[in-house]
Amino acid sequence: MKFWLGGYTADMGGDASGFGMLLAGAADDGSAGGALAFAGEVATTDSPSWLAPHPGSSTVAPGDVVYAALEARQQVQAFRRTGEATFTPLGAPVAAGEAVCHVAVSPDGRFLIASCWGDGRVVRMSLDAAGRPSSPVIAPAATDPYGPDGAAERAGDIDLAAAARALRQAAGEEYAHLVPDHDREEPAATDVGEDAAGTVSRPSRAHEAAFLPGGLIATTDLGYDVVRFWRDGASGLRQVQQVALAQGSGPRHMVWHPSGHLYVVTEYSCELFVLAPAADGTWILVGGTPLGVGTLPGDSAAELAASRDGEFLYAGVRGSNTVATLRVRGAGEYVEPVALVDAGVDWPRHHAVVRDILLVAGQLSNEVASLTLDLRTGVPGRVRHRTDAPSPTCLLPVR
């Protein structure tokens, strides 16, 4: 199997020179369980930290155009595949925003959404028939539900502090430690500052966009602790709802589940929250859990991915360099920690599930490792194979 491999170049302190190709197992094998090999760069560019494919259309074959978030250059660049392992730029790069870190392409290939960590921008770009991006439109900015006015929005009108106290009492002493500490007095946020007047301020930090069924779009803002929901319109994105999570949690990445639930992993608090649509169509918080016993102070969660059958979720944890396994229970509204295991790499920035294999990109150890998944328990085992790869930040399966 083949994967395009995003990475950091010298402008972001990395060792890559663009994005490259990873080979995993035999070419005719549906699993990635064989030997790994880095096959070199396929396109030279500056810090393509996230890669997203064009879904295909009447004029573009699926995967023949790949979009890169050029993080340090604050741009999105399209690349057109010209050979088995070669790409060339498709059109000019398009300005997005500070530290653009994620790109998501609409299922119909009409537009893409870029998320910018540095300035909180969510940017819509139109795609032409060839897949070239243009016409960036900045979406309305997020509002901080925990801002100076103190009128914190509650996810679905749920008092998280009261809910945490009730859950801890019901769980008893043996399991009380698994309940999120949303009733603590001090927030867990670390990305805060003060202005000249001494007022505490928090920056907006958009991090991911996900296309949900029915044309709905979800985006995360880990600076403001919100998940926002959008509809696409003639003048750009139109926000229809903003759901606040716990203060200081830092929602980062999401997985939509076939049950209709949206799972959100939080970078700062290393938790997983469950959102679901209510009867009236508004989204509410219906559950949540820590990633598991064993995360350490200073850890930061990264990617979230689901098993092929949707029974398990996998969250990477940087710092302690682990992977958390969580099991989906009930009708999808319950998620429980199963295990926290060694990721086998330093700084597991991204990972991908391929049948019974978990591929993990170690940004700081300059390598990609494969871990075998136990199909019964869902837990990753020890490293099966590994290969050197320059500052990897994203794994994209080649179509």
Side-chain angles (χ1 to χ4, degrees):
M1 299 187 67
K2 298 177 181 178
F3 298 80
W4 306 132
L5 196 64
Y8 277 147
T9 58
D11 62 347
M12 295 288 290
D15 297 318
S17 58
F19 67 92
M21 176 185 283
L22 175 75
L23 304 178
D28 57 352
D29 190 357
S31 174
L36 303 177
F38 178 67
E41 307 289 0
V42 299
T44 301
T45 189
D46 296 324
S47 288
S49 61
W50 188 268
L51 304 173
H54 192 289
S57 66
S58 60
T59 55
V60 180
D64 270 8
V65 175
V66 170
Y67 303 92
L70 308 183
E71 193 164 333
R73 285 171 48 180
Q74 306 181 23
Q75 298 171 329
V76 171
Q77 173 71 66
F79 291 87
R80 179 173 57 87
R81 192 173 180 178
T82 56
E84 185 66 19
T86 55
F87 281 83
T88 188
L90 176 63
V94 180
E98 294 180 18
V100 54
C101 59
H102 188 270
V103 176
V105 185
S106 65
D108 58 11
R110 292 189 304 109
F111 65 97
L112 65 78
I113 298 174
S115 300
C116 304
W117 181 88
D119 54 19
R121 286 183 178 181
V122 175
V123 184
R124 183 196 187 278
M125 300 181 185
S126 298
L127 302 178
D128 67 12
R132 285 183 290 260
S134 65
S135 307
V137 177
I138 302 171
T143 57
D144 186 354
Y146 300 99
D149 59 5
E153 300 171 8
R154 294 297 186 184
D157 294 324
I158 293 177
D159 186 331
L160 295 176
R165 288 191 293 269
L167 283 172
R168 191 172 293 106
Q169 182 177 2
E173 293 184 3
E174 183 178 359
Y175 299 105
H177 63 282
L178 295 177
V179 177
D181 294 329
H182 300 319
D183 52 340
R184 61 195 169 198
E185 294 182 1
E186 295 296 328
T190 57
D191 196 7
V192 298
E194 292 186 0
D195 60 20
T199 303
V200 175
S201 63
R202 308 195 307 161
S204 172
R205 299 208 183 281
H207 211 287
E208 189 190 35
F211 289 87
L212 309 183
L216 196 64
I217 303 162
T219 64
T220 56
D221 192 308
L222 63 82
Y224 281 175
D225 303 312
V226 295
V227 177
R228 297 199 280 170
F229 294 90
W230 311 80
R231 295 285 181 183
D232 185 47
S235 59
L237 298 180
R238 175 177 59 87
Q239 182 175 310
V240 296
Q241 189 183 357
Q242 175 170 294
V243 176
L245 301 186
Q247 185 176 4
S249 55
R252 178 181 170 98
H253 279 192
M254 301 170 285
V255 164
W256 181 83
H257 194 265
S259 65
H261 294 84
L262 184 66
Y263 302 121
V264 184
V265 69
T266 57
E267 177 172 333
Y268 298 148
S269 64
C270 291
E271 296 173 272
L272 188 132
F273 289 95
V274 186
L275 276 62
D280 62 358
T282 59
W283 285 76
I284 60 173
L285 177 69
V286 298
T289 178
L291 295 182
V293 177
T295 57
L296 304 175
D299 276 354
S300 59
E303 176 64 339
L304 182 68
S307 62
R308 184 172 55 171
D309 60 6
E311 184 178 357
F312 297 99
L313 298 168
Y314 301 97
V317 181
R318 299 165 296 180
S320 59
N321 295 333
T322 52
V323 175
T325 302
L326 303 103
R327 185 189 296 269
V328 176
R329 294 291 196 183
E333 71 275 26
Y334 300 112
V335 179
E336 63 180 15
V338 175
L340 193 68
V341 302
D342 192 337
V345 299
D346 187 2
W347 211 251
R349 171 67 175 263
H350 192 248
H351 58 265
V353 178
V354 186
R355 288 177 55 181
D356 62 341
I357 296 297
L358 186 70
L359 291 176
V360 186
Q363 178 188 325
L364 298 185
S365 53
N366 291 290
E367 62 184 337
V368 175
S370 62
L371 286 68
T372 303
L373 297 174
D374 186 313
L375 296 182
R376 181 180 60 85
T377 66
V379 178
R382 295 181 179 179
V383 171
R384 186 167 182 175
H385 298 282
R386 67 172 74 241
T387 184
D388 293 337
S391 306
T393 58
C394 177
L395 289 154
L396 176 63
V398 177
R399 298 189 179 187

Short mmCIF file of all heavy atoms in Angstrom, two decimals, residues 89-135:
data_model
loop_
_atom_site.label_atom_id
_atom_site.label_comp_id
_atom_site.label_asym_id
_atom_site.label_seq_id
_atom_site.Cartn_x
_atom_site.Cartn_y
_atom_site.Cartn_z
N PRO A 89 2.81 21.61 -8.87
CA PRO A 89 1.82 22.56 -8.37
C PRO A 89 0.72 22.80 -9.40
O PRO A 89 0.97 22.88 -10.61
CB PRO A 89 2.64 23.83 -8.13
CG PRO A 89 4.03 23.33 -7.88
CD PRO A 89 4.18 22.14 -8.78
N LEU A 90 -0.51 22.91 -8.92
CA LEU A 90 -1.67 23.19 -9.76
C LEU A 90 -2.17 24.58 -9.41
O LEU A 90 -2.84 24.78 -8.40
CB LEU A 90 -2.77 22.14 -9.52
CG LEU A 90 -4.09 22.33 -10.26
CD1 LEU A 90 -3.88 22.24 -11.77
CD2 LEU A 90 -5.12 21.32 -9.79
N GLY A 91 -1.82 25.53 -10.23
CA GLY A 91 -2.18 26.91 -9.95
C GLY A 91 -1.30 27.52 -8.88
O GLY A 91 -0.36 26.89 -8.37
N ALA A 92 -1.63 28.73 -8.52
CA ALA A 92 -0.85 29.46 -7.51
C ALA A 92 -1.35 29.12 -6.11
O ALA A 92 -2.51 28.76 -5.93
CB ALA A 92 -0.97 30.96 -7.76
N PRO A 93 -0.48 29.23 -5.10
CA PRO A 93 -0.94 29.04 -3.72
C PRO A 93 -1.92 30.14 -3.35
O PRO A 93 -1.86 31.26 -3.86
CB PRO A 93 0.35 29.13 -2.89
CG PRO A 93 1.31 29.89 -3.75
CD PRO A 93 0.96 29.55 -5.16
N VAL A 94 -2.84 29.81 -2.42
CA VAL A 94 -3.88 30.76 -2.02
C VAL A 94 -3.70 31.09 -0.54
O VAL A 94 -3.54 30.18 0.29
CB VAL A 94 -5.29 30.17 -2.26
CG1 VAL A 94 -6.36 31.16 -1.83
CG2 VAL A 94 -5.45 29.79 -3.73
N ALA A 95 -3.75 32.35 -0.22
CA ALA A 95 -3.58 32.79 1.17
C ALA A 95 -4.74 32.28 2.03
O ALA A 95 -5.89 32.33 1.63
CB ALA A 95 -3.50 34.31 1.25
N ALA A 96 -4.39 31.78 3.23
CA ALA A 96 -5.39 31.27 4.16
C ALA A 96 -5.36 32.05 5.47
O ALA A 96 -6.24 32.85 5.75
CB ALA A 96 -5.18 29.78 4.42
N GLY A 97 -4.34 31.81 6.28
CA GLY A 97 -4.22 32.49 7.55
C GLY A 97 -3.01 31.96 8.31
O GLY A 97 -2.31 31.06 7.85
N GLU A 98 -2.77 32.53 9.48
CA GLU A 98 -1.59 32.18 10.26
C GLU A 98 -1.63 30.71 10.70
O GLU A 98 -2.64 30.24 11.22
CB GLU A 98 -1.48 33.07 11.49
CG GLU A 98 -1.21 34.53 11.17
CD GLU A 98 -1.12 35.36 12.43
OE1 GLU A 98 -0.94 34.79 13.52
OE2 GLU A 98 -1.26 36.59 12.33
N ALA A 99 -0.55 30.01 10.45
CA ALA A 99 -0.40 28.61 10.87
C ALA A 99 -1.58 27.76 10.39
O ALA A 99 -2.19 27.04 11.17
CB ALA A 99 -0.23 28.50 12.38
N VAL A 100 -1.88 27.84 9.09
CA VAL A 100 -2.94 26.99 8.54
C VAL A 100 -2.51 25.53 8.73
O VAL A 100 -1.42 25.13 8.34
CB VAL A 100 -3.21 27.32 7.06
CG1 VAL A 100 -1.95 27.25 6.21
CG2 VAL A 100 -4.28 26.38 6.49
N CYS A 101 -3.35 24.75 9.37
CA CYS A 101 -2.92 23.42 9.82
C CYS A 101 -3.82 22.29 9.32
O CYS A 101 -3.51 21.12 9.56
CB CYS A 101 -2.85 23.37 11.34
SG CYS A 101 -4.42 23.73 12.17
N HIS A 102 -4.91 22.61 8.64
CA HIS A 102 -5.82 21.55 8.20
C HIS A 102 -6.59 22.00 6.97
O HIS A 102 -6.93 23.17 6.82
CB HIS A 102 -6.81 21.20 9.32
CG HIS A 102 -7.64 19.98 9.02
ND1 HIS A 102 -8.86 20.06 8.36
CD2 HIS A 102 -7.43 18.67 9.27
CE1 HIS A 102 -9.36 18.84 8.23
NE2 HIS A 102 -8.52 17.99 8.77
N VAL A 103 -6.84 21.03 6.08
CA VAL A 103 -7.64 21.26 4.89
C VAL A 103 -8.64 20.12 4.77
O VAL A 103 -8.28 18.95 4.95
CB VAL A 103 -6.77 21.34 3.61
CG1 VAL A 103 -7.65 21.47 2.38
CG2 VAL A 103 -5.79 22.50 3.69
N ALA A 104 -9.89 20.45 4.48
CA ALA A 104 -10.92 19.44 4.22
C ALA A 104 -11.65 19.83 2.94
O ALA A 104 -11.99 21.00 2.75
CB ALA A 104 -11.91 19.35 5.39
N VAL A 105 -11.89 18.84 2.06
CA VAL A 105 -12.52 19.09 0.77
C VAL A 105 -13.96 18.58 0.80
O VAL A 105 -14.22 17.47 1.30
CB VAL A 105 -11.73 18.41 -0.36
CG1 VAL A 105 -12.33 18.77 -1.72
CG2 VAL A 105 -10.26 18.80 -0.31
N SER A 106 -14.88 19.37 0.28
CA SER A 106 -16.28 18.97 0.26
C SER A 106 -16.47 17.70 -0.56
O SER A 106 -15.74 17.46 -1.52
CB SER A 106 -17.15 20.09 -0.31
OG SER A 106 -16.84 20.33 -1.67
N PRO A 107 -17.42 16.85 -0.18
CA PRO A 107 -17.62 15.58 -0.89
C PRO A 107 -17.90 15.73 -2.38
O PRO A 107 -17.60 14.83 -3.17
CB PRO A 107 -18.82 14.96 -0.16
CG PRO A 107 -18.78 15.56 1.21
CD PRO A 107 -18.30 16.96 1.01
N ASP A 108 -18.48 16.88 -2.78
CA ASP A 108 -18.76 17.09 -4.20
C ASP A 108 -17.63 17.79 -4.92
O ASP A 108 -17.72 18.07 -6.14
CB ASP A 108 -20.07 17.88 -4.38
CG ASP A 108 -20.03 19.24 -3.68
OD1 ASP A 108 -18.96 19.68 -3.23
OD2 ASP A 108 -21.11 19.87 -3.59
N GLY A 109 -16.54 18.11 -4.22
CA GLY A 109 -15.38 18.73 -4.85
C GLY A 109 -15.57 20.17 -5.27
O GLY A 109 -14.77 20.70 -6.06
N ARG A 110 -16.59 20.86 -4.72
CA ARG A 110 -16.84 22.25 -5.12
C ARG A 110 -16.00 23.26 -4.35
O ARG A 110 -15.72 24.35 -4.85
CB ARG A 110 -18.32 22.60 -4.94
CG ARG A 110 -19.29 21.91 -5.85
CD ARG A 110 -20.67 22.52 -5.72
NE ARG A 110 -21.16 22.52 -4.33
CZ ARG A 110 -21.28 23.59 -3.58
NH1 ARG A 110 -20.93 24.78 -4.06
NH2 ARG A 110 -21.73 23.51 -2.33
N PHE A 111 -15.61 22.91 -3.12
CA PHE A 111 -14.87 23.86 -2.31
C PHE A 111 -14.09 23.12 -1.23
O PHE A 111 -14.29 21.93 -1.00
CB PHE A 111 -15.82 24.90 -1.67
CG PHE A 111 -16.80 24.34 -0.68
CD1 PHE A 111 -16.55 24.39 0.69
CD2 PHE A 111 -17.99 23.77 -1.10
CE1 PHE A 111 -17.45 23.88 1.62
CE2 PHE A 111 -18.91 23.27 -0.18
CZ PHE A 111 -18.64 23.32 1.17
N LEU A 112 -13.20 23.84 -0.58
CA LEU A 112 -12.46 23.30 0.56
C LEU A 112 -12.52 24.28 1.71
O LEU A 112 -12.84 25.46 1.52
CB LEU A 112 -11.01 22.96 0.19
CG LEU A 112 -10.05 24.09 -0.22
CD1 LEU A 112 -9.51 24.89 0.96
CD2 LEU A 112 -8.88 23.52 -1.01
N ILE A 113 -12.21 23.77 2.89
CA ILE A 113 -12.16 24.61 4.09
C ILE A 113 -10.79 24.46 4.72
O ILE A 113 -10.33 23.35 4.97
CB ILE A 113 -13.25 24.22 5.10
CG1 ILE A 113 -14.64 24.43 4.49
CG2 ILE A 113 -13.12 25.03 6.38
CD1 ILE A 113 -15.76 23.94 5.36
N ALA A 114 -10.14 25.59 4.95
CA ALA A 114 -8.85 25.62 5.62
C ALA A 114 -9.03 26.14 7.04
O ALA A 114 -9.74 27.13 7.26
CB ALA A 114 -7.87 26.50 4.85
N SER A 115 -8.40 25.46 8.01
CA SER A 115 -8.46 25.86 9.42
C SER A 115 -7.09 26.39 9.82
O SER A 115 -6.07 25.76 9.53
CB SER A 115 -8.84 24.68 10.31
OG SER A 115 -10.12 24.18 9.95
N CYS A 116 -7.09 27.53 10.51
CA CYS A 116 -5.83 28.21 10.83
C CYS A 116 -5.65 28.30 12.34
O CYS A 116 -6.41 29.00 13.02
CB CYS A 116 -5.82 29.60 10.20
SG CYS A 116 -6.08 29.58 8.41
N TRP A 117 -4.64 27.63 12.83
CA TRP A 117 -4.36 27.60 14.26
C TRP A 117 -3.88 28.96 14.77
O TRP A 117 -4.21 29.36 15.89
CB TRP A 117 -3.30 26.54 14.55
CG TRP A 117 -2.93 26.38 15.98
CD1 TRP A 117 -3.53 25.58 16.91
CD2 TRP A 117 -1.86 27.05 16.67
NE1 TRP A 117 -2.91 25.69 18.13
CE2 TRP A 117 -1.88 26.60 18.01
CE3 TRP A 117 -0.89 27.97 16.29
CZ2 TRP A 117 -0.96 27.05 18.96
CZ3 TRP A 117 0.02 28.42 17.24
CH2 TRP A 117 -0.02 27.96 18.56
N GLY A 118 -3.14 29.68 13.97
CA GLY A 118 -2.50 30.90 14.46
C GLY A 118 -3.46 32.04 14.74
O GLY A 118 -3.33 32.74 15.75
N ASP A 119 -4.44 32.25 13.84
CA ASP A 119 -5.35 33.39 14.01
C ASP A 119 -6.81 32.98 14.13
O ASP A 119 -7.69 33.84 14.19
CB ASP A 119 -5.18 34.39 12.86
CG ASP A 119 -5.33 33.74 11.48
OD1 ASP A 119 -5.91 32.65 11.40
OD2 ASP A 119 -4.86 34.34 10.50
N GLY A 120 -7.09 31.68 14.16
CA GLY A 120 -8.46 31.21 14.34
C GLY A 120 -9.33 31.25 13.10
O GLY A 120 -10.53 30.95 13.18
N ARG A 121 -8.76 31.59 11.96
CA ARG A 121 -9.57 31.71 10.75
C ARG A 121 -10.09 30.36 10.26
O ARG A 121 -9.38 29.36 10.28
CB ARG A 121 -8.77 32.34 9.62
CG ARG A 121 -8.51 33.83 9.77
CD ARG A 121 -7.77 34.34 8.54
NE ARG A 121 -7.54 35.79 8.60
CZ ARG A 121 -6.93 36.48 7.65
NH1 ARG A 121 -6.47 35.84 6.58
NH2 ARG A 121 -6.77 37.78 7.78
N VAL A 122 -11.34 30.38 9.79
CA VAL A 122 -11.92 29.29 9.02
C VAL A 122 -12.17 29.88 7.63
O VAL A 122 -12.93 30.84 7.50
CB VAL A 122 -13.22 28.77 9.64
CG1 VAL A 122 -13.88 27.72 8.74
CG2 VAL A 122 -12.95 28.19 11.03
N VAL A 123 -11.53 29.31 6.62
CA VAL A 123 -11.52 29.93 5.30
C VAL A 123 -12.11 28.98 4.25
O VAL A 123 -11.66 27.83 4.14
CB VAL A 123 -10.10 30.34 4.88
CG1 VAL A 123 -10.12 31.09 3.54
CG2 VAL A 123 -9.45 31.21 5.95
N ARG A 124 -13.09 29.45 3.51
CA ARG A 124 -13.68 28.68 2.41
C ARG A 124 -13.02 29.10 1.10
O ARG A 124 -12.89 30.30 0.81
CB ARG A 124 -15.18 28.93 2.32
CG ARG A 124 -15.88 28.11 1.23
CD ARG A 124 -17.25 28.69 0.93
NE ARG A 124 -18.03 27.87 0.03
CZ ARG A 124 -17.91 27.86 -1.31
NH1 ARG A 124 -17.01 28.63 -1.89
NH2 ARG A 124 -18.70 27.08 -2.05
N MET A 125 -12.60 28.12 0.29
CA MET A 125 -12.03 28.39 -1.03
C MET A 125 -12.78 27.60 -2.08
O MET A 125 -13.04 26.40 -1.91
CB MET A 125 -10.54 27.98 -1.06
CG MET A 125 -9.67 28.72 -0.08
SD MET A 125 -7.93 28.21 -0.21
CE MET A 125 -7.22 29.12 1.16
N SER A 126 -13.15 28.26 -3.17
CA SER A 126 -13.82 27.59 -4.28
C SER A 126 -12.83 26.76 -5.07
O SER A 126 -11.64 27.10 -5.17
CB SER A 126 -14.47 28.62 -5.20
OG SER A 126 -15.45 29.37 -4.51
N LEU A 127 -13.30 25.65 -5.66
CA LEU A 127 -12.47 24.80 -6.51
C LEU A 127 -13.07 24.78 -7.91
O LEU A 127 -14.28 24.58 -8.08
CB LEU A 127 -12.41 23.37 -5.95
CG LEU A 127 -11.86 23.21 -4.54
CD1 LEU A 127 -11.90 21.75 -4.12
CD2 LEU A 127 -10.44 23.77 -4.43
N ASP A 128 -12.22 25.00 -8.93
CA ASP A 128 -12.72 24.98 -10.30
C ASP A 128 -12.76 23.55 -10.83
O ASP A 128 -12.49 22.59 -10.08
CB ASP A 128 -11.89 25.89 -11.21
CG ASP A 128 -10.45 25.42 -11.41
OD1 ASP A 128 -10.13 24.27 -11.05
OD2 ASP A 128 -9.65 26.21 -11.95
N ALA A 129 -13.10 23.38 -12.10
CA ALA A 129 -13.27 22.05 -12.67
C ALA A 129 -12.00 21.22 -12.61
O ALA A 129 -12.05 19.98 -12.53
CB ALA A 129 -13.76 22.16 -14.11
N ALA A 130 -10.84 21.87 -12.63
CA ALA A 130 -9.56 21.16 -12.56
C ALA A 130 -9.11 20.92 -11.14
O ALA A 130 -8.14 20.19 -10.92
CB ALA A 130 -8.49 21.94 -13.32
N GLY A 131 -9.80 21.54 -10.16
CA GLY A 131 -9.43 21.38 -8.76
C GLY A 131 -8.61 22.52 -8.20
O GLY A 131 -8.17 22.45 -7.05
N ARG A 132 -8.41 23.59 -8.99
CA ARG A 132 -7.63 24.72 -8.49
C ARG A 132 -8.43 25.53 -7.48
O ARG A 132 -9.58 25.90 -7.75
CB ARG A 132 -7.21 25.64 -9.65
CG ARG A 132 -6.08 25.11 -10.50
CD ARG A 132 -5.71 26.13 -11.57
NE ARG A 132 -6.80 26.19 -12.55
CZ ARG A 132 -6.78 25.57 -13.73
NH1 ARG A 132 -5.75 24.83 -14.06
NH2 ARG A 132 -7.81 25.68 -14.56
N PRO A 133 -7.83 25.85 -6.31
CA PRO A 133 -8.53 26.68 -5.32
C PRO A 133 -8.39 28.17 -5.63
O PRO A 133 -7.40 28.61 -6.23
CB PRO A 133 -7.82 26.33 -4.01
CG PRO A 133 -6.43 25.96 -4.44
CD PRO A 133 -6.55 25.34 -5.81
N SER A 134 -9.40 28.93 -5.24
CA SER A 134 -9.37 30.39 -5.42
C SER A 134 -10.45 31.00 -4.54
O SER A 134 -11.18 30.30 -3.83
CB SER A 134 -9.62 30.76 -6.89
OG SER A 134 -10.93 30.40 -7.28
N SER A 135 -10.56 32.31 -4.60
CA SER A 135 -11.62 33.08 -3.95
C SER A 135 -11.78 32.74 -2.47
O SER A 135 -12.83 32.30 -2.02
CB SER A 135 -12.96 32.85 -4.66
OG SER A 135 -12.85 33.11 -6.05
#
